[in-house]
Amino acid sequence: MSSSDPVLRLRVLAAGLHAGLYAEEHLPLPYGRVWAVAADLEAELPHLLPFLREFRVPPGDTDRTPALAVGRSGLTEPFEVRLAPGWCLMQSRLVVGGMAATPEADGTRFAVLGATRPTVLRPAQWLYGRLLGERRGRAFIDRLAERAALR
């Protein structure tokens, strides 16, 4: 993998953040279909994250886009989103979320990460990662693959 590989970049970011959630997998689906689902944040992210009711992204094409996450409980959190082909990084004051994809052999290599930002939350992130992080990451990728297969 080259240094411009978005999945490698996300893997390095996950290690640096000590991400509680990180999963990576080869999907036997074309990159275009996989990334079409991942990049459609407003329509698809609520299907991929069970605790999310809405993810509002204003129209426009900017490098750093403001967005608003609305949880099933009604709590809201503003995010800054950086979206480019094969790369999505979403940051709020509390969490960092990311997705990356790259064509690979007969399909797509896809990765997802979730991490807390404040250092004080690191123990909770570590515990979450040990108990649920990998399972939740794999579930995210499974839902994404199901939705991409329908396109």
Side-chain angles (χ1 to χ4, degrees), residues 1 5 7 11 24-27 31 34 100-104 107-111:
M1 286 187 202
D5 178 338
V7 174
R11 190 181 312 138
E24 181 180 321
E25 194 170 316
H26 173 83
L27 301 175
Y31 167 85
V34 170
T102 191
E104 180 183 76
T108 304
R109 171 125 328 248
F110 182 84

Side-chain angles (χ1 to χ4, degrees), residues 41-42 45-46 49 51-58 66-81 90-92 95:
L41 301 175
E42 202 163 54
L45 209 52
L49 296 170
F51 56 83
L52 194 61
R53 185 171 67 205
E54 292 178 68
F55 197 76
R56 300 180 196 151
V57 183
L68 185 68
V70 181
R72 297 239 176 251
S73 66
L75 292 174
T76 62
E77 181 74 18
F79 276 79
E80 177 185 274
V81 177
M90 301 166 283
Q91 299 182 75
S92 77
V95 298

